[in-house]
């Protein structure tokens, strides 16, 4: 199993590095950067599809991490730690560094559409 992990590490290095809620809010406050919270479920095939098609892409990963503090919240295991309406999964919530919701983007998207839907909330350093 260890050998397989070492073979996969280069492939995983280009994926978005998701933080926990606690890590993400601390980093956002320190850096003055908006949070991109991905609300997903274990059994959501749209969540898995979007992870592979969008967030595992090296270019998209650089863009997301250059604009936001990415946080993943798995609703199969935890509750939403902020006030939000979650009509479906995946749902993406953009919050300011103080944790107030700026925008909610429900649904699964391709890279271009997701970028277009979220770029106005991008906070680059």
């Amino acid at each position: 199993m260890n050998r397989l992990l070492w073979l996969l590490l280069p492939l995983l290095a280009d994926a978005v590095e998701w933080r926990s809620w606690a890590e993400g809010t601390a980093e956002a406050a320190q850096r003055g950067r908006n949070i991109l919270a991905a609300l997903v479920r274990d059994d959501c095939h749209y969540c898995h599809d979007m992870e592979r098609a969008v967030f595992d892409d090296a270019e998209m990963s650089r863009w997301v991490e250059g604009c936001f503090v990415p946080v993943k919240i798995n609703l199969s295991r935890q509750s939403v730690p902020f006030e939000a309406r979650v009509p479906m999964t995946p749902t993406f919530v953009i919050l300011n560094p103080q944790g107030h919701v700026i925008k909610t983007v429900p649904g699964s998207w391709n890279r271009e559409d997701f970028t277009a839907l979220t770029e106005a909330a991008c906070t680059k350093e």
Side-chain angles (χ1 to χ4, degrees), residues 23-100:
E23 294 167 333
T25 55
E27 183 179 337
Q30 178 187 27
R31 296 174 69 191
R33 185 170 278 192
N34 288 341
I35 299 166
L36 172 67
L39 307 175
V40 300
R41 292 190 190 282
D42 287 337
D43 61 352
C44 169
H45 74 88
Y46 295 110
C47 301
H48 300 295
D49 290 349
M50 192 166 172
E51 186 76 33
R52 283 189 302 275
V54 177
F55 300 117
D56 286 351
D57 177 78
E59 183 180 330
M60 190 66 182
S61 173
R62 283 189 297 275
W63 184 82
V64 167
E65 294 196 32
C67 287
F68 304 101
V69 175
V71 170
K72 186 179 283 186
I73 299 166
N74 187 324
L75 300 178
S76 298
R77 295 182 220 132
Q78 51 192 132
S79 58
V80 180
F82 50 88
E83 188 70 32
R85 184 175 166 275
V86 184
M88 65 181 66
T89 55
T91 289
F92 301 91
V93 180
I94 300 171
L95 304 101
N96 69 14
Q98 294 75 38
H100 297 93

